[in-house]
Amino acid sequence: MSGPTIYDVARSAGVATSTVSRAFTNPARVGEATRTRVLEVARELGYEPNPHARALTSNRTQTVAMVVSDITNPHFFELIRGAEMRAKAAEYTLVLVNAEESPRIEQEQIRRVARSVDGFLLAASRQPDADLAELAASRPVVLINRQVRGVPSVVVEHSEGCRQMVAHLASLGHTSLVYLAGPRNSWMAGSRWAAIRAAATELGVTAHRSGPYAPTVSSGGAAADAAIGTGASAIIAHNDLLAIGVLRRLAQRSVRVPDDVSVVGFDDIFAADLCTPALTTLGGPHEQVGRAAVEILLDSLTTRQDRRPALHVAPPSQLVIRDSTGTPLGAAPQRQGGAG
Amino acid sequence: MSGPTIYDVARSAGVATSTVSRAFTNPARVGEATRTRVLEVARELGYEPNPHARALTSNRTQTVAMVVSDITNPHFFELIRGAEMRAKAAEYTLVLVNAEESPRIEQEQIRRVARSVDGFLLAASRQPDADLAELAASRPVVLINRQVRGVPSVVVEHSEGCRQMVAHLASLGHTSLVYLAGPRNSWMAGSRWAAIRAAATELGVTAHRSGPYAPTVSSGGAAADAAIGTGASAIIAHNDLLAIGVLRRLAQRSVRVPDDVSVVGFDDIFAADLCTPALTTLGGPHEQVGRAAVEILLDSLTTRQDRRPALHVAPPSQLVIRDSTGTPLGAAPQRQGGAG
DNA sequence: TCAAGGGTGACAACCGGTTGCCAAGGGTTG
DNA sequence: CAACCCTTGGCAACCGGTTGTCACCCTTGA
């Protein structure tokens, strides 16, 4: 039915099955000549180790799972790509898991695949800290764009990026801005707002927050309306999708960007460069983040579990200035001062 | 170490392990009362079947692999999303595999995961027909946007779509067009060209072909230059990425779209609606295609292998008319008549 | 009351590797 | 030449389920 087994190889090579097994998994444990011969025979026979049989005793599956909060979000594509490539280079397989923006589904799915994978990459997890810490205690985990004490993570550096973003707006003459927040349980949303607020205070800019909003184009309508209501001349959207939705709504309402209001996003997705006006956004080396996360995860698979450092890698974000930010012309729409 | 096994459950429930196993996998084979009790005990103990142990004998992994020609291409995202969701609904896990536009890598990767998955979804496979037929003979396979005799597939209906596209251009007054072809080993590229040419002939439009080009934005520059060289007033790009690259190059060269030349793409990716001018494109229900493909694959996993129909599902494509197509103004750029 | 038969559950072999432990063989040293 | 050590290979138990086969028990009908 399916290919040859170590038994076939052992018979052909005239050795014991244990020797064949060791020739593959523990080269030091078997003589050079024997090993060469075994590998030779294996190649001739077209032998491929059965991953399940292997996993059964060794508990190694050569597979890692990447859980993303929403597979729909183009932001993750680069992340996925980076992770996939790094995994492939290490001869690991990547399993893609969609959490559909639900902590419950996220947890269910993690349980479902837990036995089949060696570790988890959790991108923008929506689960509470405690649950993540617990999971990390039992299985190798690397968080992406999420930080939990004691759990290794890769987070795009964004506090300096947020500062640059606010400084950019301030330098254009904006004195008030509104942050359209992402989902309530998004760590990034909280973290960004903190950074934005700090930078705003430092630079003498008024900052409001509105939301939470789903990080999707379709949420942009409501978000835009709320933003205009605040009277701010600059809008910082939680991500590019939301920003694009905002741009659409503003165009509908004949609010000019950037003349009447400036708009910025986060992530620098492919579409940010294509929309009209092209979106100013805080991008990051997402593909590299995906790579790095896999790397750390693979490391922690080989390191003794008890004492491995919980490192937090933070590659720099980059402010990409395009056409959606500019000097606020004349009287910015200070229609009213209500908060979001 | 890791959770309870059927042995624990069997002991707690006072039955044999085989009974526990059957309670899960073959409910009819065990008494109703016993079964209830076993499941009850299993739940209490937090028992989860070990997928590898299960796979070892049963050869069922509850996992399917989706191989895409290039994970970078946003076109696949909807496909992936649809497939992922359908798989999840059936309690299957989706493994994502990237072929990097290389038939060799594609085959290698397939071999690598072959033992770990129940079947394959091959999206836009770049492998020769013979190899696909061979693979399909040994393992359940569903092709996506690729057609091979005897292998089940889901292909977005495009010949009628191409006709509509050409008819649309003709009705605007275009009398010559150029097709910027996709990769040489892309089945879609060949198939689309055939449909376009047929429609062009039928409608009295001159059709040229140029290429092949990589289906990426960065290939758009060379493609645009070649297209202009043909003197055609309408450009049909192999996909939206290429079309967007063409639009960029045309803008650089101050060729107006659609006044000087019309541009259309394929796939209707998210960005097609955002670029300037917004791209006319032949879209398809990609998410639904992903779903359907998984469905067929799952079917074929349960059906007896020998006689299962090699069905070819073809959901309709849809011409989305935006701003990149229009009436050719004045003298179209008939600078020269050379072919591509 | 007894035999036949269907429904249930147990036994045990097996899937294909991994790995602890032991033994044999060869080389080295005193 | 003997004692010893180290390298290398084999034996066999085990990982956690699945499944063919068989025995048993209870029901049903004669």
Side-chain angles (χ1 to χ4, degrees), chain A residues 144-200:
Chain A
I144 297 174
N145 288 345
R146 171 79 186 251
Q147 215 159 333
V148 170
R149 204 180 148 69
V151 184
S153 60
V154 182
V155 180
V156 175
E157 185 296 304
H158 58 296
S159 70
E160 170 56 22
C162 287
R163 219 195 63 80
Q164 283 178 26
M165 182 186 269
V166 175
H168 166 61
L169 293 171
S171 73
L172 289 172
H174 294 271
T175 56
S176 79
L177 60 83
V178 55
Y179 171 59
L180 304 175
R184 198 184 318 279
N185 42 16
S186 157
W187 179 84
M188 266 296 193
S191 185
R192 282 176 184 162
W193 168 236
I196 290 168
R197 190 164 48 172

Side-chain angles (χ1 to χ4, degrees), chain B residues 48-104:
Chain B
E48 297 260 347
N50 181 321
H52 298 113
R54 182 172 275 183
L56 197 50
T57 44
S58 68
N59 273 322
R60 301 300 231 63
T61 63
Q62 295 284 108
T63 298
V64 297
M66 176 152 191
V67 183
V68 298
S69 60
D70 176 13
I71 205 176
T72 293
N73 189 335
H75 159 55
F76 290 119
F77 296 148
E78 280 189 64
L79 220 49
I80 293 172
R81 185 168 79 207
E84 205 275 342
M85 291 186 156
R86 184 64 188 81
K88 186 202 159 196
E91 307 221 282
Y92 268 71
T93 300
L94 187 76
V95 164
L96 190 61
V97 176
N98 185 12
E100 300 175 39
E101 287 285 356
S102 152
R104 210 201 68 243

